Amino acid sequence: MKLYKITPILFLRQHGVVSFASHYSCSSSTVIAARNAPSCRTTTTSSSSTIRRKSENNKYDTGAGFSIRWGSNRSWHNCNNNCNKNGILVRLHLKGQKEELSFSVNEQEKQVAVDDDDVTVTAATRMRTYRGLTEDQVKERLEIFGENALAPPKEKSWLELWIQQFDDRLVQILLVVAAISTASSASQIMGSNQQSMTSENMLELFVEPFIILLILMLNAGVGVWQQLSAINSLEALKKLQPKLTTVLRQNKQGIDEWCTDIDASQLVPGDVIKVKVGDMVPADSYLCDLLSSAVLSVDESALSGESVSVEKEVKMGKLDTASANYNNGDDAYDSNPVNEQRSTLFASTVITKGNAEAIVTKTGALTQIGKIQKGIVSAEIMKTPLNERLDKFGDDLALLIAGICVVVWLISIPRFDDPSFHSVFEGAVYYTKVAVSLGVAAIPEGLPAVITLVLALGTRRLAECNVIVRNLPSVETLGCVSIICTDKTGTLTTNKMTVESMLVMEGQSQNNTNVWTELKVEGSSYDPVKGKVHGLLEDELNACPSGAISDIFAVSVGCNDAQLLKTSDEVSLVGEPTEGALLTLAEKLGVSNNEKGPVDENRQRWFCDWNKYATLDFDRKRKSMGVICRNIQSGKERLLVKGAPNLLFERCTHVKLRNGEICKITDDMRDEFSSAITSLSSRPLRCLLLAVKDIQVDQHAQEMHRPELFESIETGLTAVGIVGIRDPPRKEALESIRLCEQAGIRIAMITGDAKDTAIAIAKELTILPKDSTETVLKAYEGKEFFSKCEFEQKSLLSSGNMVFYRTEPTDKQNIVKMLQSLGEVPAMTGDGVNDAPALRQANIGIAMGSGTEVAKEAADMILVDNSFSTIVKGVEEGRCIYANMQAFINFLISCNIGEVFAVFFASLFGFPSLLSSLQLLWVNLVTDGPPATALGYNPPDSEVMSRSPRDRNEEIITPWLLTRYFITGTYIAFATVGIFTSYFLNSGLSFEQVTQWSTCAEWATNNSVCLVFSQESLSTPQTLALSTLVTVELLKALSSVSIDASITKIGPQRNPALILGVLIPFSIHLGILYSGNLGVPSIASSFGVVPLSAEQWISVFLWSLPILLIDDLLKAYGRSKNRNVQVDDTIRS
């Protein structure tokens, strides 16, 4: 009696039947893995779990065991469902002459007992024991778990989004001003003589509120558009879900059949699906069988961000597919991290190699991609520092404006019954309009528009640096980034695997002085022209065609399925990155390497002499791949092998020297080999051993069709060389990290790579100190870091650079949240679907240009070239933008304070109307707008990256800047009110008479004196005041190129746009004043202005020019103040 042990890999209970859905190994002595057992072969059948009799002549019994009679044609015979009694279905390939064989199944020992010692079991094949779901079961589970689709988020209506745009203090103040202005204009119309009020006069009264409302509507429209674009991140997730799939279902007769083109949204837990190369996995599933291939590879980059395909395998585990209770949201059946779940197929990943069957375990929101959707929805969208400061500024300004307006209106109450008014109500309306004018003057109406324009300008400059900005405020936020959380692959590195080292053995076989010699390989891309092999002899392939270098070339080309493609500006890869590295090495070793020829010219030349005969696929056990090649002319056959050095070297018996001699491997050679591999791995480099063997295919005909026997073919090999491969750092990354250190920006590298690789790259790029020891190294595995207490986590995150390796998809978002709780402003990079929640959470989400659409839609900006240095350029640009913002805010606020003070002082002293609301609105929008926008073109400060990041809580307007604004604003008001008052004084009136203009009829000696205060006569002093206000503000703009440097050091000539931004509004102002001379007098009358004489213009400039001296004196004091602060900080440190 022989016992053949059955090794189950996956334990299932499907519809109450215990079965072993896996491969079995057959050996009379030890349990050997099915794919590699030399005495058994595993195949797959698509039979259903119902097994029917083929012939009545066949017999079976239903006892403890069962017997099967085989016919003379050795065909398969089946039995009915009673075969399931012991829970195991086994089909045996038999060798021998017996036509009848009995065997029994031992449920406890999992053994098959064959009753004839002369019979050998050569192969065992499991039969499918799981069944498709019935229509009723599908309906029941759809009711429980819902459709296999991402739940649509609750969306706001257009009206809700529109109303939300008015939740802003500045906007609300403008609405109040517009309402009061409308009411005032309406009351003026009702209180006036209807016959004297023309339609033009009525329209002029409503110009002011109309312009205010128009600006608010435009701003609201832009806000709604920006918010609607954010919804696309969730829509992009839906695109990743496959629409159709292949599933096993029972038909009405109870027979299982594969149903193709089934709507993937109708999948339920317990469904059996079939996936093949190119398919997108429709739901999280547990792998239960591999079909027609020993390997199943899956591209999980959308989830993990890692570009290397993951090999899946069937493992032992328990599932209860009868009740589907496992789909309750927990991972009890597999609690490992996502990147370690080798038996799970995740929704939205893509099959790159092999075919398989799997059982659906989770659908819809409970899948990994569903959890990511929850993360995107729940991610708290942080306001940018600029928005926070502008909100604070708006709140403060609202209180200030309201207070000043109320004070102005209250101190004017005694004048409500002045004789110049027909009634107290008319007086109240007049001074209400004065207060409204003050509100219009105080509000920088142009500020939101200017900020938007300057940010848009920044996006254009960033686009030139390969940065696409999706969220305008994020441009400025870059300026206060305090820590960059960056991925390694493709951002700090090139994401192009490259051979950096090649080892060949040199020496003499006679004196046993052989040593491994390292040849450095130059280059960091797939372009072989951009690099060479140092130490390579001239034309070594031709000079020594039987040497080790020649064989390294042959293995690199022949044992390779990749392809290099040359476009106009770069060389791209089709295939696995490791094979691309070998192919590039082969071209560097080749006899031809020129820019004009094909990029793979040497590969093409080799294939002119050799053909591929057979491929021995890679598998996880032997960790090698082999290709049998045949010479076209001679018919010689060779086996070319590449694989893991330690395992493959054990199957090598000889080593080929560089000169072509072959040496038998000794113990000393093995020690030297281990030392060489250790040295390469410590850098760290991914090592591959290349080996060859002369072979005769006829001698291995049987083994070549049985993957478990490939290892027997790959024995007796001759090692020819070792290559060290890695994803090299970008050349510009080191300098960019140095700039970050200089700018006070910390780096946190977060990667899914192994510890040694992550630390080596971090040290090479100086993210971590090169001389740091294991004990002081700030490098942590994801699980290790989050197992620490929260206090320790925050303590570690609060200072210095860090490295996180082997991280989980949720780790990035948790790290970002923790950094934000510490007051940091983190920028986060990412490219995978799993990165989307962290990108939304971060203050700045930066997606890679080569990343998934989900990551791009969730991010604030996109790096076209994936380069870390581009992030640093963006930070520099963000700081420049903030400096320019300070410049134009300095200009706008100084001007607005001047306007407020001018109206306030005029009201306080009881002067006639200084400026109309329309004139003030015109100054804010047209005169102030272009210069403020032009200040966004200010040249960058050479020391912008030498300063530490500003605190996100730092006020836009610091106490010193506010003092400067008040001083310059006071002079603007003084000049405006001064020239206005001087007009009356030059007309022979005293200051006291001007303040008592409303009672002119009481103190005037004749009526002609009072005519100077009439509306027609007021046009000249108002024009003088308006012209002075315009001129002094434009001069202020010219001195704002630098917020600290003198105009004599950094003048307006450094910014040509500013000169244009000053000339245009001044020209427009002249056009309005002299519109009568241009044949359009109605324009001047609408604005209530008249032309000025040359003498009056001289007076305007005399009142305006002192602003340049005052501003320069304030800058000098500010520079002195800053130097003293820096000295104090240095002393304290």
Side-chain angles (χ1 to χ4, degrees):
M1 177 70 71
K2 290 183 179 179
L3 295 179
Y4 296 89
K5 197 162 188 178
I6 301 172
T7 305
I9 307 298
L10 174 64
F11 180 68
L12 301 174
R13 180 175 292 275
Q14 177 82 3
H15 306 303
V17 178
V18 178
S19 58
F20 293 86
S22 181
H23 308 295
Y24 303 111
S25 58
C26 312
S27 170
S28 57
S29 56
T30 58
V31 178
I32 302 176
R35 291 292 179 187
N36 304 304
S39 61
C40 73
R41 175 172 59 89
T42 306
T43 60
T44 304
T45 177
S46 60
S47 303
S48 68
S49 59
T50 301
I51 303 174
R52 305 180 183 279
R53 286 191 301 172
K54 182 177 181 181
S55 169
E56 294 182 359
N57 295 328
N58 299 322
K59 69 175 184 177
Y60 61 89
D61 64 64
T62 58
F66 53 86
S67 61
I68 301 176
R69 181 188 297 275
W70 272 263
S72 58
N73 61 356
R74 314 294 295 164
S75 61
W76 289 108
H77 287 251
N78 300 319
C79 59
N80 64 10
N81 280 334
N82 290 328
C83 296
N84 281 333
K85 177 171 182 174
N86 288 309
I88 299 178
L89 291 176
V90 179
R91 182 177 282 173
L92 302 177
H93 295 266
L94 304 177
K95 183 189 296 181
Q97 301 301 319
K98 299 288 186 179
E99 291 189 355
E100 183 174 339
L101 171 68
S102 297
F103 64 91
S104 62
V105 178
N106 184 319
E107 171 67 19
Q108 299 301 319
E109 300 296 330
K110 307 297 186 298
Q111 294 177 336
V112 175
V114 180
D115 64 357
D116 193 328
D117 290 347
D118 294 329
V119 176
T120 302
V121 178
T122 60
T125 303
R126 68 96 180 159
M127 298 180 63
R128 183 184 300 110
T129 57
Y130 40 83
R131 301 200 61 188
L133 299 180
T134 64
E135 185 177 347
D136 291 338
Q137 288 174 318
V138 172
K139 289 181 179 179
E140 179 184 355
R141 298 187 186 190
L142 278 173
E143 292 179 1
I144 297 173
F145 303 112
E147 290 190 347
N148 179 36
L150 298 179
K154 183 180 179 181
E155 297 181 6
K156 291 184 178 180
S157 66
W158 276 81
L159 181 60
E160 289 175 314
L161 291 174
W162 185 267
I163 295 174
Q164 186 177 325
Q165 306 310 311
F166 295 90
D167 186 19
D168 180 274
R169 286 290 180 272
L170 282 176
V171 172
Q172 291 167 357
I173 293 170
L174 281 172
L175 282 174
V176 171
V177 169
I180 294 175
S181 178
T182 302
S184 176
S185 299
S187 65
Q188 187 173 343
I189 292 174
M190 291 186 293
S192 63
N193 187 343
Q194 297 292 329
Q195 295 180 349
S196 62
M197 183 67 67
T198 65
S199 59
E200 290 184 3
N201 297 140
M202 295 174 65
L203 288 175
E204 287 176 10
L205 290 173
F206 290 100
V207 167
E208 177 188 306
F210 173 76
I211 293 177
I212 293 176
L213 289 174
L214 179 62
I215 293 172
L216 294 180
M217 295 302 107
L218 289 174
N219 281 339
V222 172
V224 171
W225 174 79
Q226 286 182 335
Q227 285 194 271
L228 287 176
S229 66
I231 300 174
N232 292 335
S233 60
L234 298 176
E235 293 298 323
L237 275 173
K238 296 180 181 179
K239 295 178 183 178
L240 286 176
Q241 292 184 290
K243 296 181 179 180
L244 302 175
T245 189
T246 300
V247 61
L248 187 68
R249 293 275 173 84
Q250 290 185 42
N251 59 22
K252 294 181 178 180
Q253 289 74 35
I255 300 174
D256 285 341
E257 58 184 13
W258 285 107
C259 303
T260 58
D261 298 336
I262 295 296
D263 189 347
S265 66
Q266 300 303 303
L267 286 180
V268 295
D271 261 330
V272 180
I273 59 172
K274 183 185 290 185
V275 290
K276 61 183 183 300
V277 175
D279 284 352
M280 186 177 286
V281 180
D284 284 7
S285 310
Y286 207 87
L287 185 63
C288 56
D289 190 30
L290 301 179
L291 308 177
S292 71
S293 175
V295 179
L296 182 75
S297 297
V298 183
D299 178 6
E300 293 185 347
S301 59
L303 285 177
S304 66
E306 297 299 322
S307 58
V308 180
S309 297
V310 178
E311 290 186 9
K312 298 293 183 177
E313 58 187 15
V314 180
K315 287 186 177 180
M316 181 178 292
K318 283 192 175 183
L319 289 175
D320 185 357
T321 60
S323 63
N325 287 333
Y326 52 83
N327 198 357
N328 58 6
D330 61 38
D331 292 324
Y333 67 95
D334 198 338
S335 59
N336 292 329
V338 170
N339 54 9
E340 295 180 12
Q341 294 185 31
R342 297 288 180 171
S343 297
T344 303
L345 304 180
F346 295 104
S348 302
T349 58
V350 180
I351 307 298
T352 59
K353 186 176 184 180
N355 306 319
E357 292 176 5
I359 296 178
V360 174
T361 58
K362 294 189 177 183
T363 57
L366 294 176
T367 62
Q368 282 297 324
I369 196 170
K371 294 176 183 177
I372 291 170
Q373 184 207 29
K374 290 181 182 178
I376 294 177
V377 174
S378 63
E380 182 182 355
I381 302 177
M382 303 290 291
K383 279 191 174 182
T384 67
L386 177 64
N387 286 337
E388 290 178 349
R389 296 301 96 209
L390 286 177
D391 286 349
K392 178 68 165 54
F393 171 69
D395 290 339
D396 295 342
L397 186 63
L399 293 174
L400 180 64
I401 291 172
I404 293 177
C405 289
V406 170
V407 169
V408 169
W409 192 80
L410 290 176
I411 63 177
S412 301
I413 290 178
R415 302 190 184 97
F416 285 2
D417 58 353
D418 283 348
S420 58
F421 303 123
H422 295 92
S423 65
V424 173
F425 177 76
E426 184 179 344
V429 169
Y430 174 82
Y431 283 107
T432 299
K433 292 201 69 174
V434 171
V436 169
S437 298
L438 182 62
V440 171
I443 299 174
E445 291 92 346
L447 184 59
V450 172
I451 288 175
T452 301
L453 289 174
V454 171
L455 291 176
L457 173 64
T459 64
R460 194 179 75 175
R461 288 204 292 251
L462 285 173
E464 296 173 358
C465 299
N466 292 316
V467 178
I468 299 173
V469 177
R470 297 188 65 255
N471 184 20
L472 274 183
S474 63
V475 177
E476 180 276 334
T477 309
L478 276 171
C480 59
V481 165
S482 59
I483 182 169
I484 300 175
C485 301
T486 177
D487 190 13
K488 177 189 74 68
T489 306
T491 308
L492 294 172
T493 64
T494 63
N495 197 23
K496 296 177 181 178
M497 299 297 285
T498 307
V499 175
E500 290 199 349
S501 178
M502 183 175 71
L503 270 63
V504 293
M505 183 162 276
E506 290 190 289
Q508 298 293 327
S509 58
Q510 295 86 349
N511 54 22
N512 196 26
T513 58
N514 307 311
V515 293
W516 289 101
T517 301
E518 182 177 1
L519 304 181
K520 295 287 186 180
V521 184
E522 185 183 86
S524 59
S525 70
Y526 293 125
D527 192 345
V529 177
K530 298 178 181 178
K532 62 180 182 179
V533 181
H534 294 276
L536 192 67
L537 302 179
E538 185 177 355
D539 198 14
E540 186 164 351
L541 287 183
N542 286 337
C544 188
S546 61
I549 297 294
S550 180
D551 282 340
I552 290 174
F553 172 85
V555 177
S556 298
V557 170
C559 196
N560 202 314
D561 294 324
Q563 185 179 0
L564 298 179
L565 298 178
K566 189 173 185 178
T567 58
S568 57
D569 56 347
E570 65 177 8
V571 176
S572 59
L573 171 70
V574 178
E576 290 289 336
T578 301
E579 293 191 339
L582 290 175
L583 204 54
T584 306
L585 172 66
E587 295 301 320
K588 293 175 182 177
L589 292 173
V591 295
S592 176
N593 191 3
N594 62 78
E595 296 185 16
K596 295 183 179 180
V599 69
D600 60 345
E601 182 176 354
N602 298 305
R603 173 181 175 273
Q604 293 179 22
R605 184 179 289 108
W606 187 85
F607 275 106
C608 289
D609 298 326
W610 294 86
N611 280 335
K612 285 187 180 181
Y613 178 78
T615 299
L616 310 182
D617 285 332
F618 175 90
D619 70 41
R620 296 180 61 82
K621 183 183 178 183
R622 77 180 204 281
K623 292 189 176 179
S624 61
M625 171 190 175
V627 171
I628 299 175
C629 299
R630 178 177 290 165
N631 189 279
I632 297 174
Q633 294 182 352
S634 66
K636 179 183 177 181
E637 295 166 339
R638 298 189 80 195
L639 173 63
L640 311 176
V641 186
K642 66 182 180 188
N646 292 332
L647 291 179
L648 190 57
F649 198 67
E650 291 295 325
R651 306 202 294 273
C652 293
T653 56
H654 294 79
V655 174
K656 178 175 281 192
L657 303 183
R658 187 171 183 177
N659 60 13
E661 295 185 44
I662 297 178
C663 302
K664 189 173 182 179
I665 295 177
T666 63
D667 290 340
D668 290 340
M669 285 185 182
R670 294 190 184 278
D671 292 340
E672 292 172 5
F673 175 81
S674 297
S675 299
I677 295 298
T678 301
S679 175
L680 291 176
S681 300
S682 64
R683 297 185 188 179
L685 298 176
R686 181 188 177 189
C687 299
L688 284 178
L689 177 64
L690 311 182
V692 299
K693 175 185 176 181
D694 291 335
I695 192 174
Q696 293 183 2
V697 175
D698 294 342
Q699 297 178 0
H700 301 279
Q702 298 298 322
E703 295 95 323
M704 286 175 56
H705 297 286
R706 299 172 64 179
E708 69 271 13
L709 301 182
F710 285 172
E711 187 173 337
S712 65
I713 304 175
E714 295 175 353
T715 56
L717 302 172
T718 299
V720 295
I722 308 167
V723 293
I725 305 173
R726 73 164 177 165
D727 180 9
R730 291 179 178 266
K731 292 180 179 179
E732 68 276 12
L734 183 61
E735 174 63 18
S736 298
I737 289 173
R738 187 194 65 78
L739 277 176
C740 285
E741 182 179 358
Q742 177 182 307
I745 300 172
R746 298 190 292 127
I747 307 294
M749 188 174 84
I750 307 175
T751 178
D753 276 343
K755 177 180 180 180
D756 291 342
T757 303
I759 291 176
I761 292 293
K763 286 186 175 182
E764 185 172 351
L765 293 176
T766 68
I767 296 175
L768 296 177
K770 291 186 178 182
D771 57 350
S772 55
T773 62
E774 188 75 21
T775 54
V776 299
L777 212 59
K778 293 188 72 173
Y780 301 93
E781 186 179 4
K783 291 188 295 186
E784 176 191 1
F785 179 78
F786 287 104
S787 65
K788 300 177 183 294
C789 67
E790 184 177 347
F791 176 81
E792 187 176 359
Q793 291 174 16
K794 290 185 176 181
S795 177
L796 291 170
L797 284 173
S798 61
S799 63
N801 297 340
M802 295 189 71
V803 172
F804 299 92
Y805 56 89
R806 291 296 187 202
T807 54
E808 274 284 278
T810 56
D811 290 345
K812 285 187 176 182
Q813 187 176 12
N814 292 333
I815 290 171
V816 167
K817 286 181 179 179
M818 203 166 294
L819 287 168
Q820 289 172 335
S821 70
L822 293 171
E824 302 281 357
V825 181
M828 170 63 72
T829 70
D831 56 3
V833 175
N834 62 300
D835 295 326
L839 292 174
R840 283 288 295 273
Q841 183 74 48
N843 295 85
I844 292 288
I846 305 172
M848 302 296 106
S850 60
T852 60
E853 287 301 315
V854 180
K856 293 175 185 177
E857 294 291 348
D860 299 295
M861 54 185 60
I862 301 167
L863 298 185
V864 176
D865 59 0
N866 298 352
S867 176
F868 180 83
S869 61
T870 305
I871 302 175
V872 180
K873 290 178 184 176
V875 171
E876 184 175 1
E877 181 64 33
R879 292 189 175 190
C880 292
I881 288 173
Y882 185 76
N884 291 345
M885 276 188 174
Q886 277 197 317
F888 70 66
I889 288 175
N890 166 34
F891 164 68
L892 286 176
I893 300 303
S894 295
C895 295
N896 278 74
I897 289 176
E899 294 164 15
V900 170
F901 280 7
V903 175
F904 179 76
F905 290 144
S907 300
L908 183 65
F909 292 125
F911 292 160
S913 178
L914 178 70
L915 296 168
S916 69
S917 297
L918 180 59
Q919 289 170 343
L920 287 171
L921 191 62
W922 174 258
V923 170
N924 280 340
L925 292 179
V926 180
T927 306
D928 293 351
T933 304
L935 286 171
Y937 288 85
N938 281 346
D941 186 349
S942 59
E943 298 182 355
V944 70
M945 290 298 283
S946 299
R947 296 186 285 267
S948 298
R950 73 178 190 278
D951 190 336
R952 66 172 296 138
N953 296 320
E954 176 185 309
E955 300 287 348
I956 293 179
I957 304 175
T958 64
W960 164 239
L961 287 178
L962 186 61
T963 303
R964 277 181 56 177
Y965 300 162
F966 269 98
I967 293 174
T968 53
T970 300
Y971 180 75
I972 291 172
F974 173 73
T976 304
V977 176
I979 198 170
F980 180 81
T981 308
S982 66
Y983 172 81
F984 295 104
L985 298 180
N986 293 334
S987 300
L989 297 174
S990 66
F991 183 84
E992 184 179 359
Q993 288 175 330
V994 176
T995 60
Q996 296 178 3
W997 68 274
S998 59
T999 59
C1000 177
E1002 298 178 0
W1003 52 261
T1005 56
N1006 56 69
N1007 292 333
S1008 61
V1009 174
C1010 295
L1011 291 176
V1012 75
F1013 299 118
S1014 66
Q1015 186 61 47
E1016 293 76 11
S1017 299
L1018 281 177
S1019 295
T1020 300
Q1022 284 184 340
T1023 302
L1024 285 169
L1026 178 63
S1027 298
T1028 301
L1029 181 62
V1030 168
T1031 304
V1032 74
E1033 288 187 358
L1034 293 179
L1035 290 173
K1036 168 64 179 170
L1038 293 175
S1039 70
S1040 298
V1041 176
S1042 173
I1043 200 166
D1044 289 319
S1046 168
I1047 191 174
T1048 58
K1049 185 176 180 180
I1050 302 180
Q1053 71 279 1
R1054 295 279 297 275
N1055 185 355
L1058 177 60
I1059 296 176
L1060 193 63
V1062 167
L1063 289 177
I1064 289 176
F1066 193 75
S1067 300
I1068 294 174
H1069 177 71
L1070 292 177
I1072 293 175
L1073 262 60
Y1074 299 98
S1075 60
N1077 298 343
L1078 299 175
V1080 195
S1082 59
I1083 296 178
S1085 62
S1086 297
F1087 281 89
V1089 295
V1090 294
L1092 298 180
S1093 65
E1095 183 181 352
Q1096 288 173 323
W1097 272 115
I1098 293 174
S1099 179
V1100 166
F1101 279 103
L1102 287 176
W1103 281 98
S1104 302
L1105 285 171
I1107 190 66
L1108 296 176
L1109 178 61
I1110 293 171
D1111 206 33
D1112 245 23
L1113 291 174
L1114 291 171
K1115 287 181 180 180
Y1117 178 78
R1119 291 193 300 271
S1120 174
K1121 186 172 179 291
N1122 290 337
R1123 281 195 295 269
N1124 292 335
V1125 170
Q1126 291 174 0
V1127 170
D1128 291 342
D1129 290 342
T1130 303
I1131 293 173
R1132 281 195 295 268
S1133 61

